[in-house]
Short mmCIF file of all heavy atoms in Angstrom, two decimals:
data_model
loop_
_atom_site.label_atom_id
_atom_site.label_comp_id
_atom_site.label_asym_id
_atom_site.label_seq_id
_atom_site.Cartn_x
_atom_site.Cartn_y
_atom_site.Cartn_z
N MET M 1 160.35 148.76 129.91
CA MET M 1 159.26 148.06 129.25
C MET M 1 159.17 148.47 127.79
O MET M 1 159.37 149.63 127.45
CB MET M 1 157.94 148.34 129.94
CG MET M 1 157.86 147.87 131.41
SD MET M 1 157.92 146.10 131.56
CE MET M 1 156.26 145.67 131.07
N ASP M 2 158.85 147.54 126.98
CA ASP M 2 158.60 147.86 125.59
C ASP M 2 157.17 148.28 125.41
O ASP M 2 156.25 147.47 125.25
CB ASP M 2 158.88 146.63 124.74
CG ASP M 2 160.34 146.22 124.82
OD1 ASP M 2 161.23 147.12 124.83
OD2 ASP M 2 160.57 145.04 124.82
N ASP M 3 156.94 149.56 125.50
CA ASP M 3 155.54 150.02 125.49
C ASP M 3 154.93 149.94 124.10
O ASP M 3 153.74 150.13 123.96
CB ASP M 3 155.44 151.46 126.08
CG ASP M 3 156.24 152.44 125.22
OD1 ASP M 3 156.86 152.03 124.21
OD2 ASP M 3 156.26 153.61 125.60
N HIS M 4 155.75 149.68 123.12
CA HIS M 4 155.23 149.56 121.80
C HIS M 4 154.89 148.10 121.43
O HIS M 4 154.40 147.83 120.35
CB HIS M 4 156.18 150.11 120.74
CG HIS M 4 157.49 149.39 120.74
ND1 HIS M 4 158.37 149.51 121.73
CD2 HIS M 4 158.02 148.62 119.77
CE1 HIS M 4 159.50 148.74 121.43
NE2 HIS M 4 159.28 148.20 120.26
N ILE M 5 155.13 147.26 122.33
CA ILE M 5 154.80 145.84 122.13
C ILE M 5 153.80 145.38 123.15
O ILE M 5 154.04 145.49 124.36
CB ILE M 5 156.04 144.97 122.18
CG1 ILE M 5 157.03 145.35 121.09
CG2 ILE M 5 155.67 143.48 122.08
CD1 ILE M 5 158.33 144.57 121.11
N GLU M 6 152.67 144.95 122.72
CA GLU M 6 151.65 144.43 123.61
C GLU M 6 152.12 143.11 124.19
O GLU M 6 152.61 142.24 123.52
CB GLU M 6 150.37 144.27 122.88
CG GLU M 6 149.75 145.55 122.37
CD GLU M 6 149.31 146.45 123.51
OE1 GLU M 6 149.01 145.95 124.60
OE2 GLU M 6 149.30 147.64 123.31
N ARG M 7 151.86 142.96 125.46
CA ARG M 7 152.25 141.72 126.11
C ARG M 7 150.93 140.93 126.42
O ARG M 7 149.91 141.53 126.60
CB ARG M 7 153.00 141.94 127.38
CG ARG M 7 154.36 142.58 127.09
CD ARG M 7 155.10 142.88 128.36
NE ARG M 7 156.38 143.50 128.05
CZ ARG M 7 157.50 142.81 127.72
NH1 ARG M 7 157.46 141.52 127.68
NH2 ARG M 7 158.61 143.46 127.47
N GLY M 8 151.11 139.65 126.51
CA GLY M 8 149.98 138.83 126.81
C GLY M 8 149.31 138.36 125.60
O GLY M 8 148.94 139.07 124.76
N GLY M 9 149.19 137.01 125.49
CA GLY M 9 148.55 136.46 124.34
C GLY M 9 149.43 136.33 123.10
O GLY M 9 148.95 135.85 122.09
N ILE M 10 150.63 136.80 123.25
CA ILE M 10 151.53 136.74 122.07
C ILE M 10 152.78 135.86 122.40
O ILE M 10 153.66 136.31 123.11
CB ILE M 10 152.07 138.14 121.73
CG1 ILE M 10 150.95 139.14 121.66
CG2 ILE M 10 152.83 138.05 120.37
CD1 ILE M 10 149.89 138.83 120.60
N PRO M 11 152.68 134.64 122.02
CA PRO M 11 153.84 133.78 122.25
C PRO M 11 155.03 134.27 121.51
O PRO M 11 154.90 134.81 120.40
CB PRO M 11 153.38 132.40 121.70
CG PRO M 11 151.93 132.50 121.47
CD PRO M 11 151.60 133.94 121.32
N ARG M 12 156.19 134.15 122.11
CA ARG M 12 157.38 134.56 121.40
C ARG M 12 157.83 133.61 120.35
O ARG M 12 158.58 133.95 119.42
CB ARG M 12 158.55 134.78 122.42
CG ARG M 12 158.26 135.93 123.36
CD ARG M 12 159.50 136.15 124.24
NE ARG M 12 160.59 136.58 123.41
CZ ARG M 12 160.81 137.82 123.00
NH1 ARG M 12 159.94 138.74 123.36
NH2 ARG M 12 161.87 138.13 122.30
N LYS M 13 157.37 132.37 120.47
CA LYS M 13 157.71 131.39 119.43
C LYS M 13 156.50 130.53 119.14
O LYS M 13 155.62 130.38 119.97
CB LYS M 13 158.82 130.47 119.94
CG LYS M 13 160.16 131.19 120.04
CD LYS M 13 161.26 130.21 120.35
CE LYS M 13 162.61 130.92 120.40
NZ LYS M 13 163.72 129.97 120.67
N PHE M 14 156.51 129.97 117.99
CA PHE M 14 155.41 129.07 117.59
C PHE M 14 155.99 127.73 117.28
O PHE M 14 157.15 127.50 117.52
CB PHE M 14 154.64 129.68 116.40
CG PHE M 14 153.85 130.88 116.84
CD1 PHE M 14 154.39 132.14 116.76
CD2 PHE M 14 152.54 130.74 117.26
CE1 PHE M 14 153.67 133.22 117.16
CE2 PHE M 14 151.82 131.82 117.68
CZ PHE M 14 152.38 133.08 117.62
N GLU M 15 155.17 126.88 116.78
CA GLU M 15 155.56 125.47 116.66
C GLU M 15 156.80 125.28 115.80
O GLU M 15 157.56 124.36 116.01
CB GLU M 15 154.41 124.65 116.09
CG GLU M 15 153.24 124.57 117.06
CD GLU M 15 152.11 123.66 116.56
OE1 GLU M 15 152.34 123.06 115.48
OE2 GLU M 15 151.09 123.61 117.20
N CYS M 16 156.99 126.10 114.82
CA CYS M 16 158.15 125.91 113.94
C CYS M 16 159.42 126.37 114.62
O CYS M 16 160.52 126.09 114.14
CB CYS M 16 157.95 126.67 112.66
SG CYS M 16 158.23 128.43 112.78
N GLY M 17 159.32 126.99 115.79
CA GLY M 17 160.51 127.35 116.56
C GLY M 17 161.11 128.69 116.27
O GLY M 17 161.97 129.13 116.95
N ALA M 18 160.58 129.38 115.21
CA ALA M 18 161.05 130.73 114.90
C ALA M 18 160.49 131.73 115.84
O ALA M 18 159.34 131.66 116.25
CB ALA M 18 160.72 131.04 113.45
N PRO M 19 161.29 132.71 116.20
CA PRO M 19 160.73 133.79 117.05
C PRO M 19 159.70 134.63 116.30
O PRO M 19 159.84 134.84 115.13
CB PRO M 19 161.97 134.62 117.44
CG PRO M 19 162.94 134.33 116.27
CD PRO M 19 162.64 132.92 115.82
N THR M 20 158.76 135.16 117.06
CA THR M 20 157.77 136.07 116.48
C THR M 20 158.39 137.44 116.30
O THR M 20 159.10 137.87 117.15
CB THR M 20 156.60 136.14 117.43
OG1 THR M 20 156.19 134.86 117.81
CG2 THR M 20 155.43 136.84 116.77
N ILE M 21 158.10 138.04 115.17
CA ILE M 21 158.54 139.42 114.95
C ILE M 21 157.35 140.33 114.74
O ILE M 21 156.34 139.89 114.32
CB ILE M 21 159.55 139.48 113.79
CG1 ILE M 21 158.85 139.04 112.47
CG2 ILE M 21 160.81 138.63 114.11
CD1 ILE M 21 159.77 139.27 111.28
N MET M 22 157.62 141.59 114.98
CA MET M 22 156.58 142.54 114.67
C MET M 22 157.00 143.50 113.55
O MET M 22 158.15 143.98 113.54
CB MET M 22 156.22 143.41 115.92
CG MET M 22 155.00 144.29 115.68
SD MET M 22 154.48 145.18 117.19
CE MET M 22 155.77 146.40 117.25
N LEU M 23 156.16 143.67 112.58
CA LEU M 23 156.46 144.51 111.46
C LEU M 23 155.33 145.51 111.22
O LEU M 23 154.29 145.41 111.82
CB LEU M 23 156.62 143.65 110.18
CG LEU M 23 157.79 142.65 110.21
CD1 LEU M 23 157.73 141.78 108.97
CD2 LEU M 23 159.07 143.39 110.31
N GLU M 24 155.60 146.45 110.33
CA GLU M 24 154.57 147.41 110.04
C GLU M 24 154.16 147.29 108.57
O GLU M 24 154.97 147.23 107.66
CB GLU M 24 155.16 148.86 110.24
CG GLU M 24 154.10 149.89 110.27
CD GLU M 24 154.66 151.23 110.79
OE1 GLU M 24 155.02 151.28 111.96
OE2 GLU M 24 154.81 152.16 109.96
N SER M 25 152.90 147.21 108.34
CA SER M 25 152.35 147.02 107.02
C SER M 25 152.62 148.23 106.14
O SER M 25 152.51 149.37 106.61
CB SER M 25 150.84 146.74 107.08
OG SER M 25 150.34 146.68 105.75
N LYS M 26 152.94 147.97 104.89
CA LYS M 26 153.14 149.05 103.96
C LYS M 26 152.09 149.07 102.87
O LYS M 26 152.18 149.83 101.88
CB LYS M 26 154.51 148.93 103.25
CG LYS M 26 155.67 148.81 104.23
CD LYS M 26 155.92 150.07 104.96
CE LYS M 26 157.22 149.97 105.80
NZ LYS M 26 157.42 151.07 106.68
N THR M 27 151.12 148.20 103.03
CA THR M 27 150.11 148.10 102.00
C THR M 27 149.12 149.25 102.02
O THR M 27 148.92 149.91 103.06
CB THR M 27 149.31 146.78 102.10
OG1 THR M 27 148.59 146.81 103.34
CG2 THR M 27 150.24 145.57 102.14
N ALA M 28 148.53 149.49 100.85
CA ALA M 28 147.54 150.59 100.79
C ALA M 28 146.31 150.31 101.63
O ALA M 28 145.67 151.23 102.16
CB ALA M 28 147.10 150.76 99.34
N GLN M 29 146.02 149.06 101.79
CA GLN M 29 144.85 148.68 102.60
C GLN M 29 145.04 148.91 104.12
O GLN M 29 144.14 149.27 104.83
CB GLN M 29 144.45 147.21 102.40
CG GLN M 29 143.95 146.91 101.04
CD GLN M 29 145.09 146.52 100.05
OE1 GLN M 29 146.22 146.81 100.30
NE2 GLN M 29 144.74 145.84 99.01
N ASN M 30 146.30 148.67 104.51
CA ASN M 30 146.62 148.79 105.94
C ASN M 30 147.91 149.56 106.19
O ASN M 30 148.84 149.01 106.75
CB ASN M 30 146.74 147.38 106.53
CG ASN M 30 145.43 146.58 106.44
OD1 ASN M 30 144.45 146.85 107.15
ND2 ASN M 30 145.40 145.62 105.53
N PRO M 31 147.94 150.81 105.82
CA PRO M 31 149.18 151.55 105.97
C PRO M 31 149.52 151.77 107.43
O PRO M 31 148.70 152.26 108.19
CB PRO M 31 148.88 152.87 105.27
CG PRO M 31 147.39 153.03 105.30
CD PRO M 31 146.87 151.60 105.22
N GLY M 32 150.74 151.41 107.77
CA GLY M 32 151.19 151.66 109.13
C GLY M 32 150.66 150.73 110.17
O GLY M 32 150.92 150.89 111.33
N ARG M 33 149.81 149.80 109.75
CA ARG M 33 149.25 148.84 110.69
C ARG M 33 150.25 147.80 111.09
O ARG M 33 150.88 147.21 110.24
CB ARG M 33 148.02 148.22 110.05
CG ARG M 33 147.16 147.42 111.04
CD ARG M 33 145.98 146.80 110.29
NE ARG M 33 145.07 146.20 111.26
CZ ARG M 33 144.04 145.36 110.89
NH1 ARG M 33 143.83 145.18 109.58
NH2 ARG M 33 143.27 144.84 111.79
N ARG M 34 150.43 147.59 112.36
CA ARG M 34 151.43 146.69 112.82
C ARG M 34 150.88 145.27 112.92
O ARG M 34 149.70 145.04 113.24
CB ARG M 34 151.97 147.13 114.19
CG ARG M 34 152.85 148.36 114.06
CD ARG M 34 153.32 148.82 115.39
NE ARG M 34 154.23 149.97 115.23
CZ ARG M 34 154.66 150.69 116.21
NH1 ARG M 34 154.31 150.43 117.47
NH2 ARG M 34 155.49 151.69 116.02
N PHE M 35 151.75 144.32 112.74
CA PHE M 35 151.36 142.92 112.77
C PHE M 35 152.52 142.10 113.26
O PHE M 35 153.70 142.49 113.14
CB PHE M 35 150.84 142.45 111.44
CG PHE M 35 151.87 142.52 110.32
CD1 PHE M 35 152.67 141.40 110.02
CD2 PHE M 35 152.05 143.65 109.60
CE1 PHE M 35 153.60 141.43 109.00
CE2 PHE M 35 153.04 143.71 108.57
CZ PHE M 35 153.80 142.62 108.31
N TYR M 36 152.15 140.94 113.83
CA TYR M 36 153.12 139.96 114.16
C TYR M 36 153.16 138.90 113.07
O TYR M 36 152.18 138.64 112.46
CB TYR M 36 152.76 139.26 115.44
CG TYR M 36 152.85 140.12 116.67
CD1 TYR M 36 151.74 140.74 117.19
CD2 TYR M 36 154.07 140.22 117.33
CE1 TYR M 36 151.85 141.52 118.35
CE2 TYR M 36 154.17 140.96 118.49
CZ TYR M 36 153.03 141.62 119.00
OH TYR M 36 153.11 142.36 120.11
N ARG M 37 154.33 138.34 112.89
CA ARG M 37 154.37 137.13 112.03
C ARG M 37 155.56 136.33 112.46
O ARG M 37 156.42 136.73 113.21
CB ARG M 37 154.43 137.50 110.58
CG ARG M 37 155.76 138.01 110.10
CD ARG M 37 155.75 137.98 108.55
NE ARG M 37 156.97 138.46 107.97
CZ ARG M 37 158.03 137.72 107.80
NH1 ARG M 37 158.13 136.49 108.22
NH2 ARG M 37 159.12 138.26 107.24
N CYS M 38 155.51 135.10 111.98
CA CYS M 38 156.64 134.19 112.14
C CYS M 38 157.90 134.86 111.62
O CYS M 38 157.94 135.45 110.52
CB CYS M 38 156.38 132.90 111.38
SG CYS M 38 157.73 131.75 111.38
N GLY M 39 158.96 134.85 112.38
CA GLY M 39 160.18 135.51 112.00
C GLY M 39 160.96 134.82 110.92
O GLY M 39 162.00 135.33 110.49
N LYS M 40 160.55 133.66 110.58
CA LYS M 40 161.32 132.85 109.69
C LYS M 40 160.68 132.65 108.32
O LYS M 40 161.27 132.83 107.28
CB LYS M 40 161.51 131.46 110.34
CG LYS M 40 162.55 130.56 109.69
CD LYS M 40 162.73 129.38 110.63
CE LYS M 40 163.72 128.39 110.03
NZ LYS M 40 163.86 127.23 110.98
N ILE M 41 159.42 132.34 108.35
CA ILE M 41 158.72 132.04 107.10
C ILE M 41 157.37 132.79 107.05
O ILE M 41 156.64 132.83 108.03
CB ILE M 41 158.40 130.50 107.05
CG1 ILE M 41 159.69 129.71 107.04
CG2 ILE M 41 157.56 130.18 105.78
CD1 ILE M 41 159.53 128.22 107.16
N TYR M 42 157.16 133.41 105.95
CA TYR M 42 155.88 134.07 105.72
C TYR M 42 155.06 133.20 104.82
O TYR M 42 155.35 133.06 103.62
CB TYR M 42 156.07 135.47 105.06
CG TYR M 42 154.80 136.19 104.80
CD1 TYR M 42 154.11 136.80 105.85
CD2 TYR M 42 154.30 136.26 103.51
CE1 TYR M 42 152.90 137.45 105.63
CE2 TYR M 42 153.09 136.95 103.26
CZ TYR M 42 152.44 137.53 104.34
OH TYR M 42 151.26 138.22 104.12
N GLY M 43 154.10 132.56 105.36
CA GLY M 43 153.35 131.61 104.52
C GLY M 43 152.38 130.76 105.31
O GLY M 43 152.13 131.03 106.51
N PRO M 44 151.92 129.78 104.65
CA PRO M 44 150.90 128.91 105.25
C PRO M 44 151.33 128.26 106.53
O PRO M 44 152.46 127.88 106.69
CB PRO M 44 150.69 127.83 104.21
CG PRO M 44 151.11 128.41 102.90
CD PRO M 44 152.21 129.40 103.29
N ASN M 45 150.43 128.28 107.52
CA ASN M 45 150.64 127.58 108.80
C ASN M 45 151.74 128.20 109.63
O ASN M 45 152.21 127.62 110.59
CB ASN M 45 150.94 126.10 108.55
CG ASN M 45 149.82 125.42 107.82
OD1 ASN M 45 148.67 125.65 108.09
ND2 ASN M 45 150.16 124.58 106.87
N HIS M 46 152.10 129.44 109.30
CA HIS M 46 152.98 130.20 110.20
C HIS M 46 152.17 131.44 110.61
O HIS M 46 151.32 131.97 109.91
CB HIS M 46 154.23 130.60 109.49
CG HIS M 46 155.12 129.39 109.26
ND1 HIS M 46 156.15 129.04 110.06
CD2 HIS M 46 155.09 128.48 108.23
CE1 HIS M 46 156.72 127.97 109.59
NE2 HIS M 46 156.09 127.56 108.48
N VAL M 47 152.51 131.85 111.82
CA VAL M 47 151.64 132.88 112.39
C VAL M 47 151.64 134.16 111.61
O VAL M 47 152.66 134.67 111.14
CB VAL M 47 152.02 133.12 113.86
CG1 VAL M 47 153.38 133.80 113.95
CG2 VAL M 47 150.96 133.92 114.60
N PHE M 48 150.46 134.74 111.54
CA PHE M 48 150.29 136.10 111.10
C PHE M 48 149.16 136.73 111.88
O PHE M 48 148.07 136.12 111.97
CB PHE M 48 149.97 136.15 109.59
CG PHE M 48 149.73 137.61 109.13
CD1 PHE M 48 150.76 138.39 108.63
CD2 PHE M 48 148.48 138.15 109.21
CE1 PHE M 48 150.57 139.69 108.24
CE2 PHE M 48 148.26 139.49 108.81
CZ PHE M 48 149.30 140.24 108.31
N MET M 49 149.43 137.86 112.51
CA MET M 49 148.36 138.41 113.37
C MET M 49 148.50 139.90 113.44
O MET M 49 149.59 140.45 113.72
CB MET M 49 148.53 137.81 114.79
CG MET M 49 147.55 138.29 115.79
SD MET M 49 147.57 137.28 117.27
CE MET M 49 149.33 137.39 117.64
N TRP M 50 147.42 140.61 113.22
CA TRP M 50 147.43 142.05 113.35
C TRP M 50 147.52 142.39 114.82
O TRP M 50 146.94 141.76 115.68
CB TRP M 50 146.15 142.68 112.79
CG TRP M 50 146.02 142.52 111.30
CD1 TRP M 50 145.11 141.75 110.66
CD2 TRP M 50 146.80 143.18 110.30
NE1 TRP M 50 145.35 141.85 109.29
CE2 TRP M 50 146.34 142.75 109.08
CE3 TRP M 50 147.88 144.16 110.36
CZ2 TRP M 50 146.86 143.22 107.87
CZ3 TRP M 50 148.38 144.58 109.19
CH2 TRP M 50 147.90 144.12 107.91
N LEU M 51 148.31 143.45 115.13
CA LEU M 51 148.49 143.80 116.48
C LEU M 51 147.20 144.18 117.16
O LEU M 51 146.91 143.83 118.30
CB LEU M 51 149.52 144.97 116.60
CG LEU M 51 149.81 145.50 118.01
CD1 LEU M 51 150.43 144.35 118.83
CD2 LEU M 51 150.80 146.65 117.89
N ASP M 52 146.40 145.00 116.47
CA ASP M 52 145.14 145.43 117.07
C ASP M 52 144.16 144.26 117.32
O ASP M 52 143.47 144.25 118.31
CB ASP M 52 144.45 146.55 116.29
CG ASP M 52 144.35 146.19 114.82
OD1 ASP M 52 144.60 145.03 114.43
OD2 ASP M 52 143.99 147.10 114.06
N GLU M 53 144.21 143.28 116.47
CA GLU M 53 143.34 142.11 116.64
C GLU M 53 143.92 141.20 117.70
O GLU M 53 143.18 140.39 118.31
CB GLU M 53 143.21 141.37 115.32
CG GLU M 53 142.39 142.18 114.34
CD GLU M 53 142.17 141.46 113.01
OE1 GLU M 53 142.79 140.41 112.88
OE2 GLU M 53 141.39 141.98 112.20
N ALA M 54 145.21 141.32 117.96
CA ALA M 54 145.80 140.53 119.01
C ALA M 54 145.24 140.80 120.37
O ALA M 54 145.41 140.09 121.35
CB ALA M 54 147.32 140.73 119.02
N HIS M 55 144.66 141.98 120.49
CA HIS M 55 144.07 142.35 121.78
C HIS M 55 142.94 141.39 122.17
O HIS M 55 142.58 141.28 123.31
CB HIS M 55 143.47 143.78 121.71
CG HIS M 55 144.61 144.84 121.60
ND1 HIS M 55 144.32 146.12 121.35
CD2 HIS M 55 145.89 144.71 121.65
CE1 HIS M 55 145.46 146.81 121.28
NE2 HIS M 55 146.42 145.98 121.47
N HIS M 56 142.46 140.74 121.13
CA HIS M 56 141.41 139.76 121.44
C HIS M 56 141.99 138.40 121.82
O HIS M 56 141.25 137.46 122.03
CB HIS M 56 140.48 139.57 120.20
CG HIS M 56 139.83 140.86 119.78
ND1 HIS M 56 138.91 141.52 120.57
CD2 HIS M 56 139.98 141.61 118.71
CE1 HIS M 56 138.48 142.62 119.95
NE2 HIS M 56 139.18 142.73 118.82
N GLU M 57 143.28 138.41 121.92
CA GLU M 57 143.97 137.19 122.38
C GLU M 57 143.71 135.98 121.54
O GLU M 57 143.56 134.86 121.96
CB GLU M 57 143.63 136.88 123.84
CG GLU M 57 144.05 137.97 124.77
CD GLU M 57 143.82 137.61 126.24
OE1 GLU M 57 143.43 136.45 126.46
OE2 GLU M 57 144.03 138.45 127.08
N GLU M 58 143.57 136.26 120.23
CA GLU M 58 143.42 135.12 119.34
C GLU M 58 144.58 135.16 118.34
O GLU M 58 144.99 136.20 117.87
CB GLU M 58 142.10 135.20 118.62
CG GLU M 58 140.95 134.95 119.52
CD GLU M 58 139.64 134.76 118.75
OE1 GLU M 58 139.71 134.60 117.54
OE2 GLU M 58 138.60 134.81 119.41
N LEU M 59 145.05 133.96 118.02
CA LEU M 59 146.09 133.86 117.08
C LEU M 59 145.58 133.61 115.67
O LEU M 59 144.68 132.73 115.48
CB LEU M 59 147.02 132.71 117.44
CG LEU M 59 147.66 132.88 118.79
CD1 LEU M 59 148.60 131.65 119.07
CD2 LEU M 59 148.47 134.13 118.87
N GLY M 60 146.04 134.34 114.74
CA GLY M 60 145.65 134.07 113.36
C GLY M 60 146.70 133.28 112.62
O GLY M 60 147.82 133.76 112.45
N ILE M 61 146.38 132.04 112.34
CA ILE M 61 147.30 131.22 111.60
C ILE M 61 146.82 131.15 110.18
O ILE M 61 145.64 130.87 109.92
CB ILE M 61 147.36 129.80 112.17
CG1 ILE M 61 147.71 129.90 113.67
CG2 ILE M 61 148.39 128.97 111.42
CD1 ILE M 61 149.10 130.41 113.93
N LEU M 62 147.65 131.46 109.26
CA LEU M 62 147.24 131.39 107.84
C LEU M 62 146.95 129.96 107.47
O LEU M 62 147.72 129.01 107.67
CB LEU M 62 148.38 131.87 106.97
CG LEU M 62 148.70 133.38 107.08
CD1 LEU M 62 149.90 133.71 106.20
CD2 LEU M 62 147.55 134.26 106.79
N GLU M 63 145.75 129.82 107.02
CA GLU M 63 145.27 128.45 106.64
C GLU M 63 145.27 128.28 105.13
O GLU M 63 144.83 129.17 104.40
CB GLU M 63 143.88 128.22 107.14
CG GLU M 63 143.81 128.23 108.68
CD GLU M 63 144.32 126.96 109.27
OE1 GLU M 63 144.54 125.97 108.55
OE2 GLU M 63 144.45 126.90 110.53
N VAL M 64 145.70 127.17 104.70
CA VAL M 64 145.63 126.86 103.28
C VAL M 64 145.26 125.37 103.15
O VAL M 64 145.22 124.66 104.16
CB VAL M 64 146.91 127.09 102.53
CG1 VAL M 64 147.26 128.57 102.48
CG2 VAL M 64 148.02 126.25 103.12
N ASN M 65 145.05 124.97 101.97
CA ASN M 65 144.81 123.58 101.74
C ASN M 65 146.07 122.75 102.03
O ASN M 65 147.16 123.04 101.50
CB ASN M 65 144.40 123.33 100.31
CG ASN M 65 143.04 124.01 100.05
OD1 ASN M 65 142.20 124.10 100.95
ND2 ASN M 65 142.85 124.46 98.81
N LYS M 66 145.97 121.80 102.88
CA LYS M 66 147.13 120.99 103.22
C LYS M 66 147.12 119.79 102.31
O LYS M 66 146.13 119.08 102.11
CB LYS M 66 147.05 120.54 104.66
CG LYS M 66 147.20 121.68 105.62
CD LYS M 66 146.79 121.31 107.02
CE LYS M 66 146.75 122.56 107.93
NZ LYS M 66 146.12 122.29 109.18
N GLN M 67 148.28 119.58 101.76
CA GLN M 67 148.42 118.47 100.81
C GLN M 67 149.14 117.33 101.46
O GLN M 67 150.15 117.57 102.05
CB GLN M 67 149.21 118.91 99.60
CG GLN M 67 148.59 120.14 98.95
CD GLN M 67 147.89 119.84 97.67
OE1 GLN M 67 147.91 118.73 97.19
NE2 GLN M 67 147.30 120.81 97.06
ZN1 LIG K 1 156.89 129.76 111.56
#
């Protein structure tokens, strides 16, 4: 088992078809904080979700103005 990866509520793929990946934040605000994101594109309408918040089984999709 991958004990470092939470299971449940985390789809392996999203609508764009790219696999979800888990990374570790390097920012000063969130040092070492793990998050999921779209494995292909980092940007609007692709998944971004903090691992700890994923426990709430909600997906955070970056929202922007759609043109
Ligand atoms: Zn994507």
